[in-house]
Amino acid sequence: MRNRERLLETARAMITEHGPGKVTMDGLAERAELGKGTVFRRFGSRAGIFRALLDDDERRFQEQVLSGPPPLGPGADAEQRLIAYGRARIPFLLDHHAIARAAMDHTQPASEDGVGMTQPHIRMLLGQAGLLVPLPLLDSLAVQLTAALEAPLLLYLSMDEAPGPSGSAHLLSESWQVLVERVMRG
Amino acid sequence: MRNRERLLETARAMITEHGPGKVTMDGLAERAELGKGTVFRRFGSRAGIFRALLDDDERRFQEQVLSGPPPLGPGADAEQRLIAYGRARIPFLLDHHAIARAAMDHTQPASEDGVGMTQPHIRMLLGQAGLLVPLPLLDSLAVQLTAALEAPLLLYLSMDEAPGPSGSAHLLSESWQVLVERVMRG
């Protein structure tokens, strides 16, 4: 466990200094002053390093949602929490774009860890909001709002270019708020 | 041109009878009573047959939107057209699921033909609706509503399973209508 934390901390420092492109299994072992075998056993592949970093950050994000201060955490009303979730999630996904690309391993099926948390959370908040719509529609509405929030950013994972102006964190966050306010009050 | 239509018509008949899995370059040539070289020159690969079928159907769908009867075509108000678009597009994407999977060619970058039409159309209708939101947000709102409409169905392209209950055409169409009504009137 100590080794894992040391390796992840070292990988973060390397990414901050030189970007994800310069992180290799050998380079990481050398800089962390650990054996190459240790790095290999921990992460299996170069992509595995980035997956571990993502998992770590996703876990921290999830903790903020489950038990952090409101309005992202519990204690605010459903509409405010839903707005806060998007306003936190959009920059999180944009900031993690380079790491998420590097974590993609084309020899393995895509992980759905990141996608997994958003839909149940949105579904729960829709339920708490007491919308005047038939119950089964809350499920499909949660599917569609999750797509509205995450798909524009996940789409960039398959591209090399940066998002266009309408894909900026600021605009997507603002229009997410418009969408939520109208859905919740409509 | 005659050969292309004859081949596509034959491919459609084969898909109706036996599903897309049984359509091969050789089988198509034989059944259409054309040479294998003709099939190869027209489509290049087996995936190319399915891409041509998709292109054909997308073009017809687009014609309905651009010049078909209202509310899908012009003549209804923006809200009704937006609802009608989703109610037509969702079953279209579900119906084309098997063909779209077969059209995926992992040796080439994914085509974005289908994604291309929806966002400009939604953007245009949002503009016509006179929403009381700042103009730049109409672009990012169109990005998010496009994702809400299409991403849940495009996601199935990368899976083998059928959509779950909350991904049924009926529920997604109903909640699309709820989403649009609230966004337009909210």
Side-chain angles (χ1 to χ4, degrees):
Chain A
M1 217 39 202
R2 294 288 302 272
N3 280 355
R4 184 177 187 273
E5 275 162 36
R6 182 161 159 189
L7 286 166
L8 289 182
E9 203 178 298
T10 307
R12 279 187 211 287
M14 293 171 80
I15 290 170
T16 305
E17 287 164 32
H18 308 290
K22 300 287 181 189
V23 178
T24 61
M25 305 278 274
D26 287 355
L28 179 58
E30 193 180 324
R31 169 117 173 214
E33 296 177 349
L34 289 167
K36 291 177 191 178
T38 307
V39 176
F40 188 83
R41 276 192 304 277
R42 279 288 164 201
F43 303 120
S45 68
R46 181 173 177 275
I49 301 171
F50 295 101
R51 273 201 300 279
L53 286 171
L54 262 189
D55 285 352
D56 225 44
D57 288 351
E58 284 284 2
R59 197 176 37 72
R60 266 176 245 183
F61 186 90
Q62 196 160 2
E63 277 168 14
Q64 291 296 308
V65 173
L66 294 176
S67 55
L72 183 57
D77 70 27
E79 181 179 329
Q80 293 310 312
R81 288 195 74 191
L82 203 46
I83 291 169
Y85 186 84
R87 285 192 172 278
R89 189 72 183 159
I90 288 165
F92 177 90
L93 290 175
L94 274 176
D95 286 347
H96 285 76
H97 182 249
I99 294 180
R101 271 185 72 90
M104 275 162 45
D105 181 346
H106 298 288
T107 66
Q108 295 196 342
S111 157
E112 290 176 21
D113 295 349
V115 181
M117 165 182 54
T118 298
Q119 193 168 307
H121 187 62
I122 289 180
R123 174 64 184 80
M124 182 195 77
L125 294 175
L126 287 178
Q128 289 178 359
L131 296 184
L132 294 173
V133 303
L135 202 62
L137 291 198
L138 292 186
D139 292 331
S140 46
L141 208 49
V143 168
Q144 289 171 329
L145 287 175
T146 301
L149 178 58
E150 299 206 327
L153 299 153
L154 297 179
L155 206 61
Y156 298 130
L157 289 181
S158 59
M159 302 179 187
D160 274 321
E161 319 106 80
S166 60
S168 79
H170 173 69
L171 279 181
L172 286 173
S173 298
E174 291 288 315
S175 61
W176 171 254
Q177 175 158 348
V178 168
L179 200 57
V180 170
E181 283 173 354
R182 289 175 176 237
V183 167
M184 294 303 230
R185 296 174 193 171
Chain B
M1 217 42 204
R2 295 288 303 272
N3 280 355
R4 184 176 188 274
E5 275 162 36
R6 182 161 159 190
L7 286 166
L8 290 181
E9 202 178 298
T10 307
R12 280 187 210 286
M14 292 171 81
I15 291 170
T16 305
E17 286 165 32
H18 307 292
K22 300 288 181 187
V23 179
T24 60
M25 304 277 276
D26 286 355
L28 178 58
E30 193 181 325
R31 170 114 171 217
E33 297 178 349
L34 289 167
K36 293 176 189 177
T38 307
V39 176
F40 188 83
R41 277 191 303 277
R42 280 287 165 202
F43 303 121
S45 68
R46 181 173 177 274
I49 301 171
F50 295 101
R51 273 201 301 279
L53 287 171
L54 263 189
D55 286 351
D56 225 44
D57 288 352
E58 284 283 4
R59 197 174 38 72
R60 266 177 243 184
F61 186 90
Q62 196 160 1
E63 278 169 13
Q64 292 295 307
V65 173
L66 295 177
S67 55
L72 182 57
D77 70 29
E79 181 178 330
Q80 293 311 311
R81 288 196 74 191
L82 202 46
I83 292 169
Y85 186 84
R87 285 192 172 279
R89 190 70 182 159
I90 288 165
F92 178 90
L93 290 174
L94 274 176
D95 285 348
H96 285 76
H97 182 249
I99 293 180
R101 271 185 72 90
M104 275 161 49
D105 181 346
H106 297 288
T107 67
Q108 296 197 340
S111 157
E112 290 176 19
D113 296 349
V115 180
M117 165 182 54
T118 297
Q119 194 168 306
H121 187 61
I122 289 180
R123 175 62 185 81
M124 181 195 77
L125 294 174
L126 288 178
Q128 288 177 2
L131 297 185
L132 294 173
V133 302
L135 202 61
L137 292 197
L138 292 186
D139 291 331
S140 47
L141 208 49
V143 168
Q144 289 171 328
L145 287 175
T146 301
L149 178 58
E150 299 206 328
L153 299 153
L154 297 178
L155 206 62
Y156 297 130
L157 289 181
S158 58
M159 302 179 187
D160 273 323
E161 319 105 80
S166 60
S168 78
H170 173 68
L171 278 182
L172 286 173
S173 298
E174 291 288 316
S175 59
W176 171 254
Q177 175 158 349
V178 168
L179 200 57
V180 170
E181 283 172 355
R182 288 175 177 237
V183 167
M184 295 303 230
R185 294 173 195 172

